[in-house]
Amino acid sequence: MVDEIELERSADDPEVMEFLGGAHATIARFASMLADEGVTRGLIGPREVPRLWSRHLLNSAAVASFLPPSGTVVDIGSGAGLPGVVLAALRPDLDVVLVEPMERRTVWLRHVVESLGLPRVEVVRGRAEDLVGRWGADVVTARAVAPLDRLVPWTLPLLRTGGVLLAMKGDRAVEEVAAAQAVIASHGGGDVQVISAPSIPGCGTTVVRVRRVGPIPSAPRRAKRR
């Protein structure tokens, strides 16, 4: 029980305020939106509200330490806005694209972006695999989207050569990497690392970082309809 109690955090927690720095007020507003509208819109479960900070917001914020000094971040399957909105608040100097295929979620994301005043954030409705060629992103982020062997073919084509995929994963990260080695190599990926993202105690996450080091194979042509 001690570990579970330690995980519980709130907006007025001094460690949370220090960790988030100047982005604290914006992320606290986002937390309030998630706990209210996010629940009524079905974007987050009611049972997640008490652990919103520890499991979702601070977990997402931990990824910020791996972002580049400048460039474009594409967040795939943004859903409620995690981690994309949190990262945009922490790094207002970056261009952030929130990609989400479901219309009701893109409506929510545009509402959040406007309400929080995030001018360098774009919301795009679509699937990652249908958006190849639209960006040469420096970073692609993904949280709870798909296993790595499915995620890699969707995301590496969105990256420029040298760009990185930051996939937020749980305890099975090492096993996922092992199962996806062939897929990673065949899709131009390399320099794969499983790393712990720093945060306040009990609120970090595990990130699989995959760098695009080579060309992406051509997608097979779709058969024409008769």
Side-chain angles (χ1 to χ4, degrees):
M1 291 297 295
V2 174
D3 289 340
E4 291 183 9
I5 292 173
E6 185 182 53
L7 283 172
E8 295 175 3
R9 298 288 181 167
S10 63
D12 56 359
D13 186 317
E15 285 187 286
V16 171
M17 298 176 73
E18 181 180 359
F19 180 68
L20 297 178
H24 176 266
T26 300
I27 296 174
R29 286 175 59 200
F30 181 42
S32 297
M33 294 177 73
L34 284 171
D36 183 11
E37 293 180 76
V39 173
T40 59
R41 291 174 185 242
L43 293 161
I44 190 166
R47 293 183 180 181
E48 295 301 307
V49 173
R51 51 192 181 183
L52 189 58
W53 282 93
S54 59
R55 173 171 281 198
H56 300 288
L57 298 169
L58 294 169
N59 178 277
S60 295
V63 180
S65 61
F66 303 128
L67 298 181
S70 61
T72 298
V73 177
V74 177
D75 185 39
I76 296 300
S78 290
L82 301 164
V85 170
V86 175
L87 297 178
L90 285 164
R91 292 294 308 275
D93 53 331
L94 296 176
D95 293 314
V96 176
V97 184
L98 309 178
V99 176
E100 170 56 47
M102 294 185 64
E103 183 177 7
R104 68 181 181 87
R105 291 177 179 173
T106 57
V107 170
W108 157 258
L109 290 170
R110 291 189 180 98
H111 170 56
V112 168
V113 168
E114 182 177 357
S115 298
L116 298 182
L118 301 172
R120 295 184 67 170
V121 179
E122 178 186 4
V123 178
V124 174
R125 183 185 177 193
R127 300 182 305 170
E129 58 268 41
D130 295 329
L131 297 170
V132 175
R134 183 159 179 170
W135 308 282
D138 299 279
V139 173
V140 171
T141 56
R143 181 179 189 263
V145 174
L148 204 60
D149 58 353
R150 289 166 51 200
L151 186 65
V152 163
W154 297 342
T155 55
L156 289 197
L158 301 179
L159 290 164
R160 63 170 177 79
T161 301
V164 295
L165 164 66
L166 300 176
M168 299 173 67
K169 293 294 178 179
D171 296 336
R172 295 183 58 81
V174 173
E175 289 88 340
E176 282 199 35
V177 168
Q181 285 288 357
V183 174
I184 293 170
S186 66
H187 284 77
D191 187 23
V192 184
Q193 298 175 298
V194 178
I195 45 183
S196 295
S199 183
I200 61 179
C203 301
T205 189
T206 299
V207 172
V208 175
R209 180 164 56 188
V210 182
R211 188 175 302 278
R212 179 179 168 183
V213 296
I216 304 294
S218 300
R221 294 183 179 180
R222 295 180 180 179
K224 294 182 179 180
R225 293 182 180 179
R226 295 181 178 179

